[in-house]
Amino acid sequence: EWDGNTMDTITPHEINGMAVTTTERRTLSTDGKEMTVITQLQVQHGYQGPNAVNHSQPIKDVYIRQH
């Protein structure tokens, strides 16, 4: 899904019988030379409560176009 110069991709899959969702947010710089991708995983493991964590920390990758 595009929102201006940002595209979000949500991909559900299954790993070892558990539902996992990968979310990627791609942002292109205004000059078109740099793309930033922030990736986060969410696991549907069924844990509940205030200390239950079902997502990873965001991972940031930056790609720079070179000619």
Side-chain angles (χ1 to χ4, degrees):
E1 177 178 316
W2 281 99
D3 181 16
N5 66 340
T6 301
M7 181 177 68
D8 291 331
T9 305
I10 300 170
T11 308
H13 31 257
E14 191 173 296
I15 299 175
N16 294 330
M18 297 173 68
V20 177
T21 302
T22 302
T23 302
E24 294 177 310
R25 171 165 276 201
R26 293 172 176 83
T27 305
L28 190 60
S29 64
T30 55
D31 63 5
K33 293 183 180 181
E34 186 175 291
M35 180 177 66
T36 302
V37 181
I38 298 177
T39 305
Q40 191 165 16
L41 297 176
Q42 183 175 14
V43 180
Q44 314 303 323
H45 50 55
Y47 297 156
Q48 297 181 3
N51 296 325
V53 176
N54 67 344
H55 57 84
S56 69
Q57 292 295 318
I59 299 168
K60 181 178 180 179
D61 293 302
V62 178
Y63 300 89
I64 299 171
R65 176 186 280 176
Q66 297 179 347
H67 298 276

